[in-house]
Amino acid sequence: MMLTGMPSCHDVSCLQRKFTGLRLQQRAPVRQVAQRKQLQVCAASAVRSAPVPVRDVDGQEVGQAEMALKVAGADTAKGLVHRYLVMSQQNKRKGNASTKTRAEVAGGGRKPFAQKGTGNARQGSRTSPLKPGGGVSFGPKPKDWSISMNKKERRLAMATALQSAANAGATITARGLKDQFSKGPKTKLMVETLSKLGAAADEHTLLILNEPDENVLMSARNIEFLEVNFASALRIYDVLRADKIVVDEDALQYINEFYSSTLP
């Protein structure tokens, strides 16, 4: 049976063109949704070397060294260093806080008092969290808080922090520091030496040595704002916190060789 006004053609395209106000109208093409861009970490790049003054223990400038490390890109450097700092601080947590639940508290086998007749609220056990000395509801249990970070990322973050300090003029190279304390440890002498090098007593100072020296370590251990690190075991928190970084000459050479190379 043919409807009045219905075209005789059975072509679907003909119907779509005729009944434009009905559901048979042609659908609009599906819009292609662009895929979300994936986060890409920029490749590390070697920056222009920053000059580092070389001073003797009397504070006289006797030369100039350079620090040129492989650092992260400008758009990823801040986030990378922040991740390394968070990892180093969080991994210090021992996670040994522990409380006892009502099942772990000793006692509680006998009902404290009769169910009825005392006028008190009913109690079934002395280990209830509502009673003094009872268990703890939702208390902490031993937990591993440690997080991990790739070795290449850690090295890149540390190099970025060191290079940033050198670019800001906060890094000083010390010559003859170990010979200054060859006779024995002396805290007062350490304070005077650091002051001559340009690190004030009220500034957070980081002293970087290439290898342990007992006299230097004993001279520095009782100074409030002074931290001592070794070039092979730097701590990112101490690097970022320091107002001045005093680097031994041998330690500077090690840092340049270690942080300017790439991991295999």
Side-chain angles (χ1 to χ4, degrees), residues 194-216:
L194 292 176
S195 179
K196 293 177 181 178
L197 290 172
D202 58 347
E203 289 182 321
H204 289 281
T205 305
L206 174 62
L207 178 60
I208 301 178
L209 303 176
N210 191 37
E211 55 186 13
D213 185 273
E214 184 177 0
N215 291 337
V216 175

Side-chain angles (χ1 to χ4, degrees), residues 161-183:
L162 291 171
Q163 188 67 49
S164 177
N167 293 340
T171 305
I172 305 167
T173 304
R175 176 178 294 179
L177 188 62
K178 294 182 180 180
D179 298 336
Q180 180 78 344
F181 300 92
S182 58
K183 296 181 180 180

Side-chain angles (χ1 to χ4, degrees), residues 4-259:
T4 306
M6 175 70 72
S8 59
C9 62
H10 298 283
D11 187 11
V12 177
S13 61
C14 180
L15 294 176
Q16 291 174 348
R17 291 193 300 269
K18 182 66 177 179
F19 298 95
T20 56
L22 301 179
R23 294 183 180 178
L24 294 178
Q25 63 183 358
Q26 190 174 3
R27 293 182 179 179
V30 179
R31 182 172 62 89
Q32 298 294 333
V33 180
Q35 295 182 354
R36 181 178 297 178
K37 294 182 179 180
Q38 296 181 354
L39 179 62
Q40 296 180 355
V41 179
C42 295
S45 58
V47 300
R48 186 185 308 172
S49 61
V52 179
V54 180
R55 299 174 184 173
D56 58 12
V57 292
D58 295 326
Q60 301 294 328
E61 189 166 337
V62 294
Q64 194 174 63
E66 291 183 350
M67 180 179 288
L69 311 180
K70 187 177 289 293
V71 301
D75 53 344
T76 59
K78 187 175 181 180
L80 186 66
V81 175
H82 178 260
R83 283 178 51 213
Y84 190 23
L85 176 63
V86 171
M87 187 208 72
S88 64
Q89 293 296 95
Q90 185 166 328
N91 288 356
K92 292 180 181 179
R93 298 187 65 172
K94 295 182 179 180
N96 55 1
S98 181
T99 56
K100 291 184 178 181
T101 63
R102 63 180 301 164
E104 296 170 336
V105 175
R110 182 173 63 88
K111 191 174 177 64
F113 45 80
Q115 179 81 352
K116 297 185 179 184
T118 63
N120 296 318
R122 54 191 176 185
Q123 294 287 336
S125 175
R126 294 179 180 178
T127 62
S128 170
L130 305 178
K131 304 288 288 185
V136 178
S137 298
F138 309 108
K141 285 294 183 181
K143 178 180 178 180
D144 183 14
W145 291 93
S146 63
I147 54 179
S148 61
M149 189 175 180
N150 294 337
K151 185 186 296 185
K152 290 184 179 181
E153 290 181 314
R154 296 198 305 267
R155 177 182 288 193
L156 195 60
M158 179 62 73
T160 302
L162 291 171
Q163 188 67 49
S164 177
N167 293 340
T171 305
I172 305 167
T173 304
R175 176 178 294 179
L177 188 62
K178 294 182 180 180
D179 298 336
Q180 180 78 344
F181 300 92
S182 58
K183 296 181 180 180
K186 192 73 174 178
T187 302
K188 183 178 179 181
L189 182 59
M190 175 63 76
V191 174
E192 294 176 353
T193 302
L194 292 176
S195 179
K196 293 177 181 178
L197 290 172
D202 58 347
E203 289 182 321
H204 289 281
T205 305
L206 174 62
L207 178 60
I208 301 178
L209 303 176
N210 191 37
E211 55 186 13
D213 185 273
E214 184 177 0
N215 291 337
V216 175
L217 293 176
M218 293 184 67
S219 301
R221 67 180 181 178
N222 200 31
I223 301 177
E224 182 179 4
F225 296 108
L226 178 63
E227 293 290 339
V228 180
N229 284 186
F230 302 112
S232 58
L234 293 172
R235 295 189 290 267
I236 188 66
Y237 178 80
D238 294 336
V239 173
L240 295 176
R241 190 187 187 191
D243 299 316
K244 294 290 184 180
I245 300 179
V246 179
V247 189
D248 186 65
E249 268 192 316
D250 297 335
L252 181 62
Q253 182 180 357
Y254 176 89
I255 290 173
N256 277 325
E257 293 176 356
F258 184 78
Y259 289 102

